[in-house]
Amino acid sequence: MKRKGPTFGHSQVDYRLGNILKRAAKEFEEADASDKTVEDECQRTKGSLSPLESVKISERMFAASGRRMEAGVILLMAAAAFLEQIINDYAHTFLDADWYAEHLDNLRTVTKWILLPHLCQRKEVSENDPAINALREFVKARNAVVHHKRRDFYLDLHKASNRTSTESARFLSACKKAESTVDALIKILMAPPPGAKKPEMATGKQTPSP
């Protein structure tokens, strides 16, 4: 159910989510730097502070860590919404909207980014493409936030601790790579299809950019 003569990048879609993503990424970067500063100070002054000073710096550490976590959650949500907007707009550019909604709209995120470029423009996207691998880690981090599951820590403290540590590392990594992941995925969609003589871009038209 393809549309005739479509060109992705020509539609006048409002990509304000891209601007929101930029702001969220900047706020996370600032929060991450602040957390690192407090952590470094704590390590540098370890063992030399009075009990009261230790309490104060501990409070600052918790506050900085909480701010970074909050900024990271906002960043992941903004990036996820932006990626969903982009891939759906791409699909609607080439496919009948009703047919897409009925047959493909509920596919998993990673599947969409592999299948739709092939279905729409015959582009082959490897399951091991660096952008797809980054997307997988991003989705895992986002899902851990959105679909949080209760942990029975008292059953196996070691296992629960390792799982929490892994998820925390994945969360921070996904946040730090959010913009580059989005950029890499957009490049897949904007790349010319096989056999194209020139990129399907129109000068002066709005294009999706984070």
Side-chain angles (χ1 to χ4, degrees):
M1 300 294 290
K2 281 192 174 184
R3 295 172 57 188
K4 294 183 179 179
T7 306
F8 182 59
H10 285 230
S11 57
Q12 297 298 317
V13 177
D14 186 354
Y15 287 110
R16 278 182 293 183
L17 281 174
N19 294 327
I20 294 174
L21 172 59
K22 284 183 178 180
R23 291 197 298 272
K26 183 177 180 180
E27 290 174 4
F28 173 79
E29 183 179 355
E30 293 173 350
D32 186 51
S34 177
D35 181 81
K36 182 70 164 56
T37 297
V38 177
E39 184 179 351
D40 288 346
E41 181 181 348
C42 182
Q43 291 297 323
R44 188 172 60 253
T45 59
K46 189 175 182 179
S48 63
L49 299 177
S50 68
L52 180 59
E53 290 173 327
S54 296
V55 170
K56 288 183 178 180
I57 199 169
S58 294
E59 290 175 345
R60 288 175 56 200
M61 283 186 63
F62 280 117
S65 179
R67 180 191 170 203
R68 181 176 66 171
M69 174 66 73
E70 181 178 329
V73 170
I74 294 173
L75 173 56
L76 291 187
M77 297 305 104
F82 185 53
L83 286 173
E84 186 70 10
Q85 181 185 41
I86 293 299
I87 196 64
N88 284 337
D89 181 48
Y90 176 77
H92 292 163
T93 299
F94 294 92
L95 306 173
D96 177 77
D98 291 336
W99 184 87
Y100 172 75
E102 181 179 354
H103 298 284
L104 302 175
D105 191 35
N106 291 326
L107 290 176
R108 293 179 180 273
T109 299
V110 174
T111 302
K112 282 185 179 182
W113 283 89
I114 295 174
L115 176 63
L116 287 173
H118 176 74
L119 188 60
C120 295
Q121 293 184 291
R122 304 188 311 280
K123 295 179 184 177
E124 295 296 333
V125 181
S126 171
E127 291 190 7
N128 292 320
D129 186 289
I132 297 301
N133 287 332
L135 177 61
R136 282 196 185 93
E137 289 301 300
F138 171 87
V139 170
K140 288 178 182 177
R142 172 196 170 275
N143 287 348
V145 174
V146 177
H147 306 296
H148 180 71
K149 296 180 181 179
R150 178 172 175 264
R151 306 292 190 208
D152 292 323
F153 291 101
Y154 60 88
L155 294 179
D156 190 335
L157 289 175
H158 180 69
K159 183 177 180 181
S161 178
N162 287 341
R163 182 180 299 173
T164 300
S165 178
T166 298
E167 290 185 355
S168 296
R170 178 182 288 133
F171 172 81
L172 292 177
S173 178
C175 290
K176 293 175 181 179
K177 297 177 181 178
E179 282 193 294
S180 62
T181 298
V182 170
D183 287 341
L185 290 167
I186 289 177
K187 285 181 180 179
I188 289 176
L189 302 187
M190 301 308 295
K197 295 182 179 180
K198 56 182 179 181
E200 295 189 48
M201 288 290 293
T203 303
K205 296 294 184 178
Q206 187 174 359
T207 58
S209 60

